[in-house]
Amino acid sequence: MHRDILLKSHDEKHPSTELQHLLTSIGTKVKAEKDTYLFHAGENAHEIFFITSGLIEMTLLTSDGKELSLRICKGKDMIGELTLFDEKSKYFLSARVIQPAEIIMIPKRKLEKELMTNNALTMEYMKWSSDHMRKFQSKIRDLLLNGKKGALYSTLIRFSNSYGIQKNNGILIDLALTNQELAKFCATTRESVNRMLADLKRLGVISMVEKGKILIEDMQYLRDEIGCENCPIEICNIN
């Protein structure tokens, strides 16, 4: 797979130009600094957010107090979107800014009113939200069914689909990730991720390059180990 194919496949699932224009026209542009939160899980959901730049990490606290990362969202992604058309909705996840961001903050009630007058955009929004729910279910399935190794392997595959660049000797995940950050996506410890990455390096499946970025040299090994179903990239990604 070449880089332009990866990015094209993923970009096709962003909101249409018409829907983006609507979001921009009824929302308010705000800037968010690194390590601040747009919202926390459990808070009343009054707005949804359309990202124009930066990176936002979506997290959830597990029953044992661990922070589980589920998404890293970037430009043209929407967050808080699953709360629409629900009178008493609360945010299910927390949204932490990991790179300074510009965001369009959209009042839910205003967006609902606009969508109710445009059937085509309403259908697009519902389809788009449904796709995000499928991605969420897919990630939870990987965590529950594949164990710690499977969770890490599927996380690496998802990152490669979202941030992958084709190189001569593999796919480079063009995003520097610490082992602690990877551990948060796998509901495990940094020490466990250290051991699993060391095993993958020993087997020649991955290598570390360019300031901690991961190069996947044997993608098929990762896919075989988790019984990969070759889901579409719009489902199998980290966004």
Side-chain angles (χ1 to χ4, degrees):
M1 289 186 293
H2 297 290
R3 183 188 182 194
D4 57 346
I5 295 176
L6 286 171
L7 293 181
K8 181 180 179 183
S9 298
H10 184 58
D11 283 347
E12 288 174 351
K13 287 301 178 180
H14 286 310
S16 67
T17 301
E18 186 179 1
L19 182 52
Q20 290 183 45
H21 176 73
L22 172 61
L23 297 173
T24 303
S25 67
I26 64 174
T28 302
K29 183 179 291 186
V30 297
K31 292 185 177 181
E33 300 299 324
K34 182 179 179 180
D35 291 329
T36 60
Y37 281 81
L38 298 180
F39 52 81
H40 291 86
E43 291 180 347
N44 292 327
H46 298 301
E47 294 91 17
I48 63 172
F49 301 83
F50 181 65
I51 304 167
T52 57
S53 67
L55 293 177
I56 310 293
E57 179 186 34
M58 307 301 295
T59 65
L60 177 69
L61 279 181
T62 63
S63 58
D64 57 358
K66 292 180 181 178
E67 190 176 40
L68 173 64
S69 295
L70 291 169
R71 298 171 61 189
I72 290 184
C73 303
K74 54 187 177 181
K76 295 186 179 180
D77 284 331
M78 198 183 306
I79 55 180
E81 74 282 355
L82 298 180
T83 65
L84 208 62
F85 299 111
D86 185 343
E87 290 291 333
K88 298 180 180 180
S89 60
K90 297 181 182 295
Y91 294 118
F92 180 61
L93 305 175
S94 298
R96 183 172 71 90
V97 181
I98 58 176
Q99 283 186 8
E102 285 194 354
I103 297 147
I104 306 296
M105 185 171 64
I106 304 125
K108 281 179 49 184
R109 295 294 174 258
K110 186 179 289 187
L111 178 57
E112 290 170 352
K113 182 178 179 180
E114 292 289 338
L115 289 178
M116 292 301 289
T117 64
N118 189 319
N119 290 338
L121 286 186
T122 299
M123 291 301 295
E124 179 192 343
Y125 190 93
M126 292 174 64
K127 173 66 166 58
W128 191 80
S129 296
S130 175
D131 287 342
H132 275 268
M133 180 57 72
R134 288 175 61 200
K135 286 195 289 186
F136 178 75
Q137 292 171 336
S138 174
K139 291 170 187 175
I140 295 300
R141 179 200 63 196
D142 288 345
L143 289 172
L144 292 177
L145 298 183
N146 293 321
K148 292 180 181 179
K149 280 188 177 181
L152 176 62
Y153 296 176
S154 66
T155 296
L156 292 175
I157 293 170
R158 291 176 189 279
F159 268 109
S160 75
N161 286 338
S162 291
Y163 297 94
I165 297 177
Q166 185 70 50
K167 299 290 187 178
N168 291 334
N169 53 344
I171 297 178
L172 174 68
I173 299 176
D174 193 26
L175 185 68
L177 296 163
T178 67
N179 290 359
Q180 181 61 51
E181 288 168 336
L182 282 173
K184 287 169 61 179
F185 279 92
C186 306
T188 188
T189 64
R190 178 177 57 83
E191 291 76 16
S192 292
V193 169
N194 290 347
R195 289 192 294 270
M196 291 186 286
L197 290 178
D199 288 341
L200 290 176
K201 285 188 283 188
R202 179 177 53 79
L203 293 170
V205 178
I206 66 168
S207 58
M208 306 301 293
V209 298
E210 297 183 24
K211 299 180 181 179
K213 295 179 182 179
I214 296 174
L215 178 72
I216 301 177
E217 300 184 55
D218 189 350
M219 180 67 75
Q220 195 57 48
Y221 177 89
L222 300 179
R223 295 186 184 279
D224 290 344
E225 286 294 299
I226 64 172
C228 179
E229 298 175 351
N230 292 311
C231 298
I233 288 177
E234 56 265 24
I235 298 299
C236 184
N237 63 69
I238 211 70
N239 302 114

